[in-house]
Amino acid sequence: MNIHEYQAKELFAEYGVPVSKGVAVQSEDAFNEALNQFPEGGTIVVKSQIHAGGRGKGTFVDGFQGGVKLASTKDEARDFASKMLNNTLVTHQTGPAGRKVQTIYFTEAESIDHEYYLAILMDRETSQPVIIASTEGGVDIEEVAANTPEKITKVYVDSALGLQPYQLRAIGFGLRLSRSTFKEMTQALQGLYNLFWEKDASMVEVNPLIVTEDGKVIALDAKVGFDDNALFRHSDIVELRDLNEEDEKEIEASKFSLNYIALDGNIACLVNGAGLAMSTMDIIKHFGGEPANFLDVGGGANADQVTAAFKIILSDSNVQGILVNIFGGIMKCDIIAEGIIEAAKNVKITVPLVIRLEGTNVEIGKKLLDESGLDLVSADSLADAAEKIVNLVKEKQA
Ligand code: ADP
Ligand code: MG
């Protein structure tokens, strides 16, 4: 689960990480009251709140430039905000469709002396938190990593020991901090690490973390993601969830405990088990197709879940074919067959459907499908199934 910058900054403040003063608003009516909280004459930064980065360099669909703007007067701030609110912002992280801006964050402008990059992530290789810091903040960290990797300091934290003072110093030296900012910066770092650890975050990224002209350390941007599997013990974090930022189909899938991720292709897959789902996607690609989603109905799905899965798949207008690939173990093939038949009663299946069933109760499952009168193609193996659906979709397009 991800949260907005303004929410992340509230958490930063709780953990003693310095942030600028700011106010978030969701409607134009609230602009004036929000702006009244800022002193006259100061520069105000107007920031679009979406769950994607690269906002500063982004462009709105109507041509308005920049999802982060510096306003020198309150009138200008109001003007920028009304151009951003309910407009759709496209950045290199949103994809071409962009994201609708439904919250604006007004915040005080800081005079920047230097922009640093800081992130804390869970490193999958070592199963440890890793802190990534760089003197080159504000820009694309991927570019820094590719061209000047020596400008990046990485510190791996032993989860049992926690972040150690010598590790904080190593980062401070890596960032070539002056004596005067060293302590403030390491305190901020410790706060960010505590937040990462205590809230079961999967990512904390501050780009840029700045030192101001008068030597203060401030987090100017904030991106925090949480481990969904640990959300049950953080009700305060769950409250920060913004459903506007999530794919409707994914929200629906989560209600039925289905593992569903929308993708860009046109062949929908309905599979049991994450491993099988991935091989199914691979083999669709092998035969020249593109998967429309990852969907794992799990080991013990019931007919309701299968029906829900089918509805979600069919609500995606990109879908031009469906491949059902079930290896019956705990999940019985007849349950899948019942789910498909039930779904077909509720939603008209207008695209080619290829079904491969194998394993427990496969004969009952096949019989149910045969007798249902549904227009489907059965397949005998994974390769056979993938080849059939890819060809059917191509024929339909031709
Ligand atoms: P994004 O990474 O999505 O583009 P940021 O919050 O990092 O958004 O803002 C982009 C840039 O705008 C920053 O790198 C910084 O240079 C500038 N900026 C953002 N907030 C402030 C602020 N409060 N004061 C001054 N400059 C800011
Ligand atoms: Mg940023």
Side-chain angles (χ1 to χ4, degrees), residues 189-252:
L189 249 167
Q190 181 72 57
L192 292 168
Y193 183 80
N194 294 347
L195 160 64
F196 174 86
W197 187 252
E198 286 169 20
K199 299 288 184 192
D200 290 308
S202 48
M203 176 202 63
V204 172
E205 188 188 53
V206 188
N207 187 23
L209 178 64
I210 63 154
V211 172
T212 63
E213 279 166 5
D214 50 0
K216 282 190 302 214
V217 171
I218 298 176
L220 270 206
D221 193 4
K223 225 174 165 188
V224 180
F226 299 91
D227 181 347
D228 290 344
N229 293 316
L231 283 176
F232 72 94
R233 54 185 183 192
H234 300 290
S235 53
D236 56 330
I237 300 298
V238 176
E239 273 174 32
L240 304 178
R241 187 171 175 192
D242 182 355
L243 294 179
N244 289 325
E245 290 290 322
E246 295 179 28
D247 184 296
E248 265 174 49
K249 300 189 289 306
E250 290 179 18
I251 296 169
E252 192 59 22

Side-chain angles (χ1 to χ4, degrees), residues 2-13 17-20 47-55 68 93 105 107 116-119 192 195 203-210 218-226:
N2 295 319
I3 58 173
H4 287 295
E5 173 198 359
Y6 79 93
Q7 298 168 319
K9 284 186 173 170
E10 281 165 17
L11 281 175
F12 282 12
V17 180
V19 291
S20 328
K47 307 185 83 172
S48 303
Q49 300 294 289
I50 53 170
H51 286 183
R55 296 163 300 166
V68 174
Q93 286 187 10
Y105 189 52
T107 179
Y116 297 90
Y117 175 90
L118 190 105
L192 292 168
L195 160 64
M203 176 202 63
V204 172
E205 188 188 53
V206 188
N207 187 23
L209 178 64
I210 63 154
I218 298 176
L220 270 206
D221 193 4
K223 225 174 165 188
V224 180
F226 299 91

Side-chain angles (χ1 to χ4, degrees), residues 141-163:
I141 194 68
E142 290 83 1
E143 238 166 69
V144 181
N147 303 329
T148 46
E150 70 281 2
K151 290 185 172 161
I152 294 182
T153 306
K154 276 191 192 179
V155 166
Y156 294 84
V157 182
D158 187 313
S159 321
L161 298 174
L163 184 55

